[in-house]
Every structure is written in structure tokens, then in C-alpha cells.
Amino acid sequence: MHERPSGLFDAQYRAFLVTVSDLRAQLHRYCARMTGSRLDGEDLMQETLFEAYTKIQSLHDISRLKPWLFRIAHNRCIDFLRQRGARERAESAYSDDVAVVAAEPATTDAHRAIERLVGHLPPKERACILLKDVFDYSLEETAELVGSTIGGVKSALSRGRAKLADLPAEPAREPSRPLDPDTARLLQRYVDLFNHHDWDGVRGLTSADARLRVADCFDGQLKSSPYFLEYERNPERWTMEFGTIGGELVMLVLFQRDDRWQVAWPIRVHVAGRVIDRIEDYYACPWVIGNASESDLRFMTGPVNSQGA
């Protein structure tokens, strides 16, 4: 099995990413809606691209690149849902013998609503709805991508469309659970020090073996990276704030554009044992923020939410 490159990503891999650049936003959109998380979707999309990079010699027809990538992404998403325990719960009531309920496919104007609600469906129905009704794959192509038959896809589409029609508009989501007071204070301190460019102070909040992942650029130990120097060198005016994306608490980096601040990208900061042990920076992934709606993206008011704070 090929290991993901560590440290600065190699030139061949980055060249491959240029080749598939026009597909990356679509792959992220699919993975994000399958997993219910923009950031988990980005991680799975990155894994998809690296797997494809290691197997590209097996693709004999380059015209099949897009469906091939979507098939890899689909399998990655299903594995993710299985590991999370969601697939078993979601598919426990699934059977190919369930009677088909007539339902019409969605119009183009309904695509955004579908994408917001599709996470309520079991994985097979979710995948079929996304591939057929949002990404406009044919029944035959959808069946190939999800490893099913045309009849199985028709059944999944009918069930999924009927369930979507019965769902209410999804309310705005809040972070899934509050932080404990120690973690809340640590993250608040991280943001304050980051905004003051106190890099020694920020490093003092991290573990000795803290990991850093900057999509397309770096994957390795924080201490081996030029991470903070890149922020220091940036000539534009920027700041970091707490916020949420799709209900997940993250740090949001904003840049000043004329007379307003504009969100540029999110950062995940993971805490273990009262120190920061992992940072995931998505600055090279504009699609993560690019099509986020107001209900997907929110700023926190006041100190970060915590239990008993």
C-alpha cells in the first residue's frame, strides 16, 4: 500500500493535482454532502486524489477519469460512514424488495435544498440522489458508481425523493456539543496569540510532536514546517476568529477586502491532554468556503462556548 507523502508534497503529486483541478470542487461537494461535513469531505477528497495518483497507471481510458474519481470518492465515503457507525444504522431497514413510491426528480432550482437535506437519507439513497439529481449522472452511470443495478438505483431514488419531500426545512445547526472550560480557554488563547503574531506563544500551546496538515502543501510535524512564517510573511491584513462551518466549531481566517472582512478558509485545531496535538489548515482549498450559505457559516459571538464557563 502506498503511504501518503509526508513533509512537503512531492512535485509529481502536485502536478497530478493540477491535471484534475477542474474536478476537485465537484469531488469535494460530493464528499461533503455524503459525510455531512465540509471538512471531513475535504479530507476524503484529498485521500481520493492520492489513491488515484497511486493507481493512475491502471486507468487505460483517460476519458473515464471523472467517473473513476467519483467511484473512488464514493467508496471512501462509504468506508467513512461505516467506520462512524452510521451506515449500519441507516441501512438496517433497507431492502431491495421495498415497494417503490412514485416521486419526481428535482429541478435544477432545488439542487441546493437537496444538498442540505440529503444527509438525512441512508447512504445508498443519499449517493443515488446526489449522483443522479445533483451531478446529472445517468441511471447506468449511477449504478456503476454505487455498485448497484439500474433497478436498485431506481428504488433508491424513489425512496430518497419521497423522504426528502416529507422533510421540513433544515434549521441552522449549532456546534454539536459545548467545549469543556479548559479546552475553551486553550483555544481562545490560541486565537489571541495567533492574532498578535506571537508564534513562540502559540508553539507553547502545542505538544512536542504536534502534527500539521496543510492541504496540497505539507503533512508532517508542526516543528518541521514553515507554517507560522507563512502567516507572518503575508502582506495582506488578516485576522482569525471563532466560527462554525456546517455546525462544526473551527477557526476562520478572514482577510480585509476594501471596507469589510471576508472569510477565506477554516482551520481545525484538535486538543488532547490540554495541549494542541493537531492542526489542519485548509488555506489551499477555496471550495470549502466558496459556496457556503449563511446557515453553513457562522461567527461565534463572545468567548467560545464552553460547559460551565
Side-chain angles (χ1 to χ4, degrees):
M1 177 179 291
H2 293 82
E3 294 184 1
R4 187 176 182 83
S6 60
L8 294 173
F9 288 169
D10 62 74
Q12 283 186 315
Y13 179 52
R14 299 190 72 175
F16 169 77
L17 296 179
V18 172
T19 301
V20 300
S21 59
D22 60 329
L23 298 176
R24 296 178 71 186
Q26 292 184 50
L27 286 169
H28 171 259
R29 185 178 168 197
Y30 179 73
C31 292
R33 292 312 182 188
M34 281 294 291
T35 62
S37 166
R38 287 174 176 270
L39 301 191
D40 287 335
E42 174 61 27
D43 293 341
L44 288 175
M45 189 268 284
Q46 293 286 336
E47 292 176 11
T48 294
L49 293 178
F50 183 66
E51 180 180 344
Y53 167 67
T54 63
K55 298 178 178 178
I56 192 66
Q57 297 301 324
S58 67
L59 181 65
H60 303 298
D61 182 358
I62 196 63
S63 68
R64 299 285 298 164
L65 178 62
K66 182 177 179 180
W68 184 62
L69 287 172
F70 265 87
R71 180 64 184 269
I72 296 173
H74 173 75
N75 290 338
R76 286 278 180 172
C77 289
I78 293 299
D79 287 344
F80 176 88
L81 293 173
R82 182 186 295 116
Q83 291 167 6
R84 196 169 63 182
R87 189 183 187 195
E88 288 80 2
R89 294 193 301 272
E91 294 189 337
S92 61
Y94 174 79
S95 169
D96 282 327
D97 297 328
V98 174
V100 174
V101 179
E104 293 299 317
T107 63
T108 302
D109 292 341
H111 283 180
R112 182 171 293 275
I114 288 174
E115 290 186 66
R116 291 192 56 76
L117 295 171
V118 75
H120 294 283
L121 300 178
K124 183 174 181 178
E125 294 171 17
R126 190 183 316 179
C128 291
I129 290 286
L130 286 171
L131 292 169
K132 180 66 173 67
D133 290 351
V134 176
F135 291 94
D136 297 321
Y137 278 101
S138 68
L139 288 171
E140 292 81 2
E141 291 168 328
T142 301
E144 179 184 355
L145 290 173
V146 302
S148 183
T149 63
I150 293 177
V153 169
K154 287 181 177 179
S155 287
L157 287 171
S158 291
R159 286 191 302 275
R161 289 167 182 165
K163 291 174 184 177
L164 288 176
D166 290 337
L167 287 173
E170 186 178 22
R173 291 172 290 182
E174 297 298 331
S176 57
R177 56 183 179 276
L179 299 172
D180 67 84
D182 287 338
T183 300
R185 284 190 289 269
L186 176 62
L187 294 179
Q188 185 67 61
R189 181 68 174 154
Y190 180 89
V191 169
D192 293 342
L193 291 171
F194 211 101
N195 283 334
H196 284 89
H197 297 210
D198 184 349
W199 309 125
D200 288 338
V202 173
R203 289 188 187 93
L205 302 179
T206 66
S207 64
D209 58 350
R211 303 286 300 180
L212 170 70
R213 182 177 178 187
V214 181
D216 291 0
C217 301
F218 185 88
D219 189 1
Q221 289 196 327
L222 176 64
K223 63 185 179 183
S224 302
S225 77
Y227 182 58
F228 301 119
L229 184 60
E230 291 298 320
Y231 276 93
E232 184 67 38
R233 286 174 173 171
N234 197 307
E236 297 186 84
R237 190 179 179 193
W238 58 265
T239 189
M240 179 186 288
E241 293 187 15
F242 281 110
T244 63
I245 181 167
E248 178 181 355
L249 181 66
V250 295
M251 279 66 166
L252 295 170
V253 177
L254 297 88
F255 281 78
Q256 190 168 32
R257 300 287 185 257
D258 298 324
D259 59 346
R260 66 189 183 91
W261 289 94
Q262 181 177 326
V263 178
W265 61 80
I267 299 174
R268 268 177 168 167
V269 176
H270 184 264
V271 175
R274 298 189 179 183
V275 293
I276 293 167
D277 70 339
R278 188 171 70 252
I279 299 170
E280 298 170 2
D281 192 307
Y282 296 88
Y283 96 87
C285 312
W287 44 82
V288 174
I289 292 292
N291 62 350
S293 66
E294 291 184 2
S295 58
D296 284 328
L297 191 64
R298 289 187 165 194
F299 294 102
M300 304 294 288
T301 57
V304 67
N305 188 27
S306 63
Q307 295 173 341

